[in-house]
Amino acid sequence: GLDVRVGIGRGEIRDVAPGATGVPIQDGSAWWAARAAIDEAHERADADAPYTRTWYVSSSPDPEADALLTSQLVLRDRMLDAMTPAQRAYAGASALGQTQAEIASAHGVTQPAVSQSLRRSGGAAVATSLRLLQEVAR
């Protein structure tokens, strides 16, 4: 029942005030780029790509790098959209580093069933691509 859009923005971030929870309130070009990315994801989903959930915008565009990242997000969103809820759960757990045996135990299925699901749904590829992006983001 939820319809979530995610905007990833690149740019500058600055603290503008102390936050109530101890986390500062921030502003900057990265926040505005992320807002533009959310708007773009929404527009594309309403137009010809209903599976679009995520978009990337940089405050200082690098067309090649931006296209590489955004194209990966588009493919990932499309693959996730085609999955069943169970397949998405397995892919998410795998991306978070859980073993197939742990995923199987948590979902009351066998490890071979998880393995087969990850292979057939593309969940293994999604998990791998997310891990690769995480490695370069560190």
Side-chain angles (χ1 to χ4, degrees), residues 11-22:
E12 299 203 14
I13 298 173
R14 64 182 178 282
D15 295 347
V16 294
T21 62

Side-chain angles (χ1 to χ4, degrees), residues 72-73 76 80 91-92 95 125-135:
Q72 193 277 337
L73 295 170
R76 187 218 46 198
L80 290 172
V126 170
T128 298
S129 71
L130 291 172
R131 281 194 297 273
L132 288 170
L133 285 175
Q134 187 178 25
E135 287 175 13

Side-chain angles (χ1 to χ4, degrees), residues 27-104:
D27 194 11
S29 61
W31 289 101
W32 292 105
R35 178 72 254 171
I38 291 169
D39 293 342
E40 184 68 25
H42 193 49
E43 286 177 29
R44 288 176 182 267
D46 287 347
D48 62 349
Y51 50 82
T52 304
R53 297 284 176 268
T54 316
W55 205 260
Y56 170 79
V57 172
S58 176
S59 62
S60 53
D62 175 348
E64 289 181 9
D66 297 355
L68 285 170
L69 178 55
T70 304
S71 67
Q72 193 277 337
L73 295 170
V74 168
L75 291 172
R76 187 218 46 198
D77 285 351
R78 178 61 185 102
M79 289 180 75
L80 290 172
D81 185 65
M83 292 179 189
T84 66
Q87 290 169 332
R88 279 192 296 273
Y90 300 167
S94 179
L96 292 171
Q98 291 184 14
T99 66
Q100 291 180 7
E102 292 169 334
I103 297 166

Side-chain angles (χ1 to χ4, degrees), residues 99-121:
T99 66
Q100 291 180 7
E102 292 169 334
I103 297 166
S105 177
H107 291 272
V109 298
T110 65
Q111 179 274 324
V114 171
S115 176
Q116 184 179 55
S117 175
L118 288 170
R119 256 191 344 271
R120 287 186 177 171
S121 70

